Amino acid sequence: MLSLRKTSLAFALSTATALLFSACGGTHDDSNGSPNTPPVTPPVTTPDPSKGGAISLHGIVYGAPDTSVQADAGIPITMMGQMRALFDLIKKAPDFTQVVMDLGDGNPVHVLDTNTGDKFLPGKLALGLSWILIDMKSKGDPAYADYLATYQKITTAMMTQTNGANYMYANTSWGEYYYLVALNNFKAHGMLNEVFSDAMLATLQSRLTFCDMFGADASGKTNTCPAAGTSIDVASLNTAQNYYAVSYGIAGLRQKLGWSNPALSSTSDATVATMGARDALLYTLTRHIRNDSSGGFSDEASNTHTTYYDQARFDRYSTLLIGEVTERTLEMGNEANLTPELKSYLRKSVDLILPQLNADGQGFNYGRSIGPYGDTAFMEVLTAAANAGVLTQQEMQVAYSFIYKAAYRYETFWYDPTLPTPSVNMWVKGRGTDTYRGKPRVMGENFSLLHQFMYVNAWWDKLGFNGKAPMADADLKAWLDAKPHYTLTWYNQPTDTAHPYSAALITVRDGKRVINLNLSQAPDYNSFTPYYPTPFSDKLIYGTTDLSYALLIPQVSYNGKTYIPVTYYKNLNVQENNGQVVVSFDTAKFRQAAKNATYASDLDLQVHTVLTFSHGEMTRTDTLSSATLTGNLSVETDFTSFADFQNTSPSGAFSVNYANSAATNYGTTGFDSCALSDFSMAAGATNPLSTTPIGQLHSNFACTTNPFALTGGGNRTLSWTLKYADAS
């Protein structure tokens, strides 16, 4: 067996333009570096003289001095160009609340009205457009005063206009944080009092707090800060645990501006009351990461756990959170509290990411809220790690090269200049995202994604990479090829009879192809395909957000209800034999296929699963058994392909061939019948099950059993084999 690496991942939303700091040392267990890595000296990279620095991260973000695209950069527009285009779209509208973005699907969106559902919109807009003002001011742009006036008009209206007792625009949590980043950036450039009046700053000081995240439930009620002499109970967080990081960022950035924070207390830990809000929130957040997993990852299932298996939604954000924490800590000048413990968690995140890196800039391919955010999560964690000094010099080169690739992918894949209103595309042309990032939030998603690339670029500029070329593709490929064939990352390891279940990620590398098998309990999302115990891989297998069907798992029908094996994982074992990676595990019960299904509705059905990964092929075998079920059950398993339905042809009753696709053949055993169908259309409209974050699924090969019983100790074995071409 190959040596196993525990890992984790993280995320950071901030801006580096306001920061100058020295990278801190760190500890990690990577074999490429010493246990006590010193502060990193920026490695030497060579710019491509034929491109004038265009083939660099900075070249993609800023381009030429006027932010136009440099020659041979291979992108349609720079990121600053995109941000300026959004500013111009708003600026030319007589009424900014009526600004429309048209994605060509027949349903244009009023992206700055009060009903977008984006409760962060004022902060996103204030931060996104601040990049343009700062750039214009630094260059002495004669149009600066005109753009400043537009900025002041919009920000004032959004943050001060009221409708009865309520503000017209919500701006909670992340929105408050984004706004405070903008304020600190303006202050760092000597522009704060030029952009905002004293009255406006007083309004912002009273409104940009973390109070809305504590106290009342998550019904949408906006809480007020406690009166003088009282405090907020830090345990009263009314949203997911990762919002401790958002509140920490708010408290630290308020403190950096010289603004006071609400006081915090705790009914369970008197230490909290001895700290200021900033440090109390970091203390609480560290305790969350430490206590809610055995591997240092953040459990994102809930802020209230009643049983062990409630504590097991591990996804993009679980690994991203520590990157956010690191980034906030550096951004607010709180480096002294970036402890060895936090750095060790950050290193685990790095170790989860490194085996997944690729030359195409692709990030997470499982879990919720991915798409371009799956790519930028890798980027943000690696940037935080570079700044915290937990990367070796070679890893610095690799990290920068991947981030360049992610930026290029954003410009050439996620950004679509052919839309009626050019924009990032997560919603049309076969793509789909979760309800949380619904299309009415399109303006805000452009702002937040562009900001991520801009602040990351600013950090790498400070690390000595301004205008530098990434590694040569051949060198990056050689580094990637040297990664282990598989990596096992534990989130939670079973410890005793009270805690018997496993949560882990298995990453398999087959040439250039990265395959992830994520075993995560996810009680609030496990009914949705992105959380299935299914191998996910780019352009080969992808889940559909917020929806469920029998994607490569044995979906059971019993007594008129549907059940799926998506939690209660036990006896996880991973081995490599003769070049094959073999993963086996047991599932103790089947869950009803419904969001937040009660545990009382679990089905006493067990399955022993074996997944075998070979070059160009993966096979899954499921053996079902039960000691108590008396009625008949039936099973369905589907494989949905990106291959054109017209180019898909059955090669027998139980297998199918694909053309012009990463998949080449899929076949099953143990089923009674299979049927090939067009998956992209349903009742004359686009099938919502077919829109994945990266594009539309077109064909479905569904295999089913006739009803059968599992009595007298009997069992039923079903299997599928998927063959695929090498990734290009």
Side-chain angles (χ1 to χ4, degrees), residues 355-376:
Q356 299 183 60
L357 291 188
N358 54 82
D360 297 318
Q362 300 160 10
F364 282 102
N365 53 23
Y366 60 88
R368 64 184 291 269
S369 285
I370 51 174
Y373 288 95
D375 302 347
T376 61

Side-chain angles (χ1 to χ4, degrees), residues 238 326 564:
N238 57 38
T326 303
I564 48 181

